[in-house]
Amino acid sequence: MAEVVVENFIGGKFLSTEKYLDSYDPSTGVVWAKIPDSSELEVDQAVQAARQAFPGWSRTSVEERSRLMQHLADILESQQEEFAQAESRDQGKPVSLATRIDIPRMIYNFRFFSTVILHSTNSSTYLDKAEAINYTTTAPIGVAGLISPWNLPLYLLTFKIAPCIAFGNTCVCKPSEMTSVTAWMLSKAVVQAGIPPGVINVVFGVGPRAGQALVQHPHVPLISFTGGTATAQHIIKTSAPHCKKLSLELGGKNPSVVFDDADFENCVKTCVRSSFTNQGEICLCTSRIFVQDTIFQKFVDRFVQETRKLKVGAPKESDTNMGALISKEHLHKVKGYVAIAVQDGGLLLCGEGKESLDLKKENENGYFMRPTVIINVPDDSRSMQEEIFGPVTCINSFKSEEEAVQRANNVKFGLAACLWTSDVSRAHRVGHKLEAGTVWTNCWLVRDLNMPFGGTKSSGIGREGAKYSKEFYTEEKTICIKI
Ligand code: TXE
C-alpha cells in the first residue's frame, strides 16, 4: 500500500485522476507513492487555468509578486525537514545532502528571483540626428511549460518556477514521474502562501504523454526543459510547428584538468566530491579527470583512497555519503558503462565489481553501487564519450597543456569543466579554451545566480540566471519617439 497518493494541482485545486503510476523508494525498491498518469486532458485543464490566471498575475505589481514569493519561501523554510526527508525517499539521495543542498537551494531560488524583479531596468538611447528617443519595455509572455528531471527534483523545478512567475508569467509544471512527491508538497505551500489559483499548476505523469501534451499545446508559448539530450531533440522537433521559445538544459561529460602545480589535497577531495555527490547524478558532476603525468600515480592513489572512504547505504543515516541510484534500469545502465570501459581497455581500481556493498536488510533491494574509478580508458570509448550519469569516474594522464585541452574538449557535450592549477596565467588561458558553459578553477559547484548558466554544444540551448531568465521569460519591445 503506497504511503503517498499524489494529486494534480490545477487552478488551485488538488485533483485525482483515473490512472496512477507506481513510484519507488530507490533505497528499498518498494513502491512508496502513487503518481497521477495524466493525459492531454489534464494538461489542457492546467493550461486553461494558467491562461485564466495570466491577465491578473501579469498585471500584479512586482512588489506584490515579490512579497508573495518571499512569503512562500518563509513557508518552505518552516518545512525544510519534511521536504528533505521526502526528497530523499523519492530520489535516493542522502537526507543530509537534501538538507544541505536541495532544499536550501529551492528556497533561495524563490528569494533570489523575488528580489531580481525589484531592480530590473530597461534600456534606452537618444538619436541626436534623428532627434528621437528609443526605449525598451519588457512584458511577460504567457503560460510556460516547465519540465524537470529526477536528479535534483525541487532544486531544478524551482529554478524554473521562480523566474517564470517573478517576471509575471503563469506555468504548468511537469516533474519527472520518478520524483513527483515533493512537487506535490510544494503545491500545498503555494496555496498556503496565497499565490492566486492558476499561477502555478502541476500535472504529473510520464513524459511521452503528459510532457508531450505540454510541448505540443498551442497555448504554451515557451518551454523550459531539463533532462536528456535525446528528449530535448524530440522536444525541438515536436514544438517546431508552434515556433515555441525553448530553454534546454541537458547532459554533460564534464572534465577536470589537473596540473602538477594544483593544491593537491584540496584538488583530490574536491574531485571526489564532484565525481560522486548525489550518486554522480548531477549534470555538473565530473566524469573524466585528466591528470598531468608527473603526478598521475600520486593522484590516482589518493583519489582511490578517498573514494574507498565513502559510505554507501541508507539515505536516512546521517553518515551516509552516497545513497541509491534512481531506478533499477538506471543502475543497470550505469553498470553497463563500467563493463564497456573495462572491455575497451580501462583498468578498474575500485567500486563496482571490485568491492561489495555493505547494506542493511531493508536496503538489499535498493539500487546501490559503490563509487567506481577506472584508469586509462581510451578517449573514444563510449564510457568516455557518453553521459553515464552515475558514480563512475575515468582518470587519464596527459603530458602537455595542449593535449589536455584537446582531450577535455573531445566530446559532444560542453556543460561544465574544472581546472586545477596555481598558475594564474594558465588558469585564464586554459579556462578560455575549455569548451564549457561554466569553468570552475580550483573549486566546483560554486554557483552565482547572477551569472549565465547553461551548456554549449549538445549540453543545451539558452542560459538561465538573473538577466538571462529575464530574457527568456519576458518579451522585449522597442518604442521610438520623435522629440
Ligand atoms: O531524462 P528525460 P531522464 C540526462 C542523464 C539521464 C538522461 C535521462 O543522462 O540519464 O538525461 O534522464 C520528461 N516530451 N539527464 O530519464 O527522459 C520526463 O518525464 C516532454 C541530465 O530523467 O529527458 C522528465 O520530466 N517531456 C539532466 C523530463 O522530461 C518529456 C538531468 C526529463 O526526462 C518527454 C536529468 C517528451 N517526449 C537527466 N520525455 C541535467 N542536465 O541535469 C520525457 N519527458
Side-chain angles (χ1 to χ4, degrees), residues 147-151 174-177 207-208 211-212 215 225-228 231 234-235 249-251 283 330 333 387 389:
I147 301 173
S148 53
W150 49 259
N151 59 322
K174 211 301 290 172
S176 172
E177 52 278 26
Q212 191 64 48
V215 166
F225 168 80
T226 299
T231 308
H234 181 72
I235 289 174
E249 159 47 48
L250 309 180
C283 58
H330 189 57
K333 170 185 163 187
E387 185 181 43
F389 218 58

Side-chain angles (χ1 to χ4, degrees), residues 86-357:
E87 195 80 304
S88 171
R89 286 293 301 276
D90 234 3
Q91 201 269 349
K93 68 182 73 206
V95 172
S96 59
L97 180 67
T99 304
R100 197 172 70 250
I101 302 284
D102 296 67
I103 305 313
R105 197 42 180 271
M106 159 182 74
I107 295 162
Y108 181 65
N109 283 338
F110 285 112
R111 292 209 190 283
F112 178 84
F113 287 102
S114 75
T115 56
V116 164
I117 51 174
L118 299 177
H119 311 290
S120 173
T121 59
N122 290 328
S123 46
S124 69
T125 58
Y126 175 68
L127 298 172
D128 52 7
K129 252 176 85 181
E131 291 184 327
I133 187 169
N134 284 275
Y135 68 93
T136 60
T137 63
T138 49
I141 296 171
V143 177
L146 309 180
I147 301 173
S148 53
W150 49 259
N151 59 322
L152 301 168
L154 281 178
Y155 182 136
L156 293 174
L157 177 58
T158 57
F159 190 38
K160 299 177 190 294
I161 295 176
C164 174
I165 66 170
F167 288 110
N169 302 284
T170 55
C171 61
V172 176
C173 307
K174 211 301 290 172
S176 172
E177 52 278 26
M178 292 190 272
T179 53
S180 296
V181 173
T182 47
W184 173 60
M185 292 169 64
L186 173 64
S187 306
K188 295 182 178 184
V190 166
V191 174
Q192 278 181 273
I195 290 179
V199 171
I200 298 171
N201 303 276
V202 188
V203 176
F204 300 94
V206 294
R209 251 160 67 95
Q212 191 64 48
L214 195 51
V215 166
Q216 289 182 281
H217 198 291
H219 297 303
V220 178
L222 61 167
I223 298 285
S224 176
F225 168 80
T226 299
T229 300
T231 308
Q233 289 160 345
H234 181 72
I235 289 174
I236 292 169
K237 244 187 317 205
T238 51
S239 67
H242 304 284
C243 294
K244 297 193 177 191
K245 203 173 181 183
L246 299 176
S247 166
L248 303 173
E249 159 47 48
L250 309 180
K253 192 65 183 178
N254 310 311
S256 279
V257 179
V258 180
F259 289 92
D260 61 12
D261 64 350
D263 167 2
F264 188 78
E265 278 306 312
N266 178 30
C267 174
V268 168
K269 290 192 171 123
T270 307
C271 285
V272 169
R273 189 164 58 85
S274 69
S275 297
F276 304 121
T277 296
N278 203 47
Q279 304 73 242
E281 294 168 325
I282 299 177
C283 58
L284 298 169
C285 275
T286 297
S287 52
R288 297 178 295 144
I289 305 177
F290 295 96
V291 182
Q292 195 160 9
D293 57 349
T294 45
I295 59 165
F296 180 72
Q297 197 54 54
K298 179 185 171 191
F299 180 92
V300 167
D301 294 344
R302 278 291 289 121
F303 189 90
V304 168
Q305 186 185 20
E306 287 302 310
T307 299
R308 284 196 170 118
K309 290 178 186 172
L310 295 177
K311 183 192 168 195
V312 178
K316 62 189 173 192
E317 287 175 10
S318 59
D319 63 344
T320 293
N321 303 111
M322 239 182 68
L325 275 68
I326 186 69
S327 68
K328 202 183 292 182
E329 297 73 19
H330 189 57
L331 176 64
H332 179 72
K333 170 185 163 187
V334 173
K335 287 184 173 180
Y337 277 109
V338 174
I340 289 169
V342 173
Q343 279 155 21
D344 289 350
L347 175 61
L348 182 63
L349 296 185
C350 69
E352 174 59 23
K354 272 277 180 189
E355 289 117 15
S356 59
L357 288 159

Side-chain angles (χ1 to χ4, degrees), residues 4 11 61 63 75 106 204 213 276 329 358 378 386 405-406 427 454 456 462 471:
V4 177
S61 70
E63 290 76 12
I75 291 166
M106 159 182 74
F204 300 94
F276 304 121
E329 297 73 19
D358 175 20
E386 297 170 13
V405 168
Q406 186 274 324
T456 62
E471 283 163 10

Side-chain angles (χ1 to χ4, degrees), residues 38-68:
S38 303
S39 67
E40 58 188 314
L41 175 71
E42 289 85 2
V43 168
D44 186 55
Q45 285 171 344
V47 172
Q48 297 320 325
R51 293 181 74 195
Q52 278 159 20
F54 178 70
W57 183 249
S58 57
R59 282 198 300 270
T60 301
S61 70
V62 289
E63 290 76 12
E64 177 60 5
R65 294 205 296 256
S66 180
R67 184 192 68 78
L68 284 166

